[in-house]
Amino acid sequence: MTRLDDARTAAREYLKLMIGDAWPEWRTCYSTDGTEMPSGIAPVCPDEGHEEDDGTVYNCCPEPVLEVETYPLAEYLVALLNSDRPGGAE
Ligand SMILES: [Zn+2]
């Protein structure tokens, strides 16, 4: 097992416990008020009332919401995490 395999397995087990989905789709989000661009990442919200292009975090949104400080890094991490989902590689 590589370091990536180990980290992936541990993260999947954690996510399965935390939100019931080991392979959530991720999105960028506004984890901090007042930033011009979304600088955090969170699982895509399954709530029907939450518009897909609304980057705000509400009570309906699943955890974890992770602050990564910058929009380019948030975009990169979302792309990496989503491409690592089953069938998600582009
Ligand atoms: Zn939501």
Side-chain angles (χ1 to χ4, degrees):
M1 291 266 274
T2 65
R3 183 177 179 179
L4 176 58
D5 289 331
D6 291 344
R8 182 187 288 122
T9 299
R12 296 305 167 200
E13 286 169 0
Y14 168 78
L15 288 165
K16 180 77 180 163
L17 272 177
M18 186 151 183
I19 61 172
D21 183 356
W23 301 94
E25 183 179 0
W26 292 81
R27 66 182 177 111
T28 56
C29 67
Y30 292 93
S31 52
T32 306
D33 288 340
T35 52
E36 217 166 280
M37 301 290 281
S39 59
I41 69 171
V44 169
C45 182
D47 192 281
E48 283 177 17
H50 190 153
E51 299 279 335
E52 204 173 302
D53 59 356
D54 182 352
T56 308
V57 176
Y58 301 106
N59 287 338
C60 57
C61 300
E63 295 280 330
V65 176
L66 307 172
E67 175 57 40
V68 292
E69 305 283 346
T70 70
Y71 177 68
L73 263 184
E75 273 289 309
Y76 180 45
L77 288 172
V78 163
L80 273 180
L81 288 166
N82 286 341
S83 72
D84 199 41
R85 299 172 74 218
E90 289 174 20

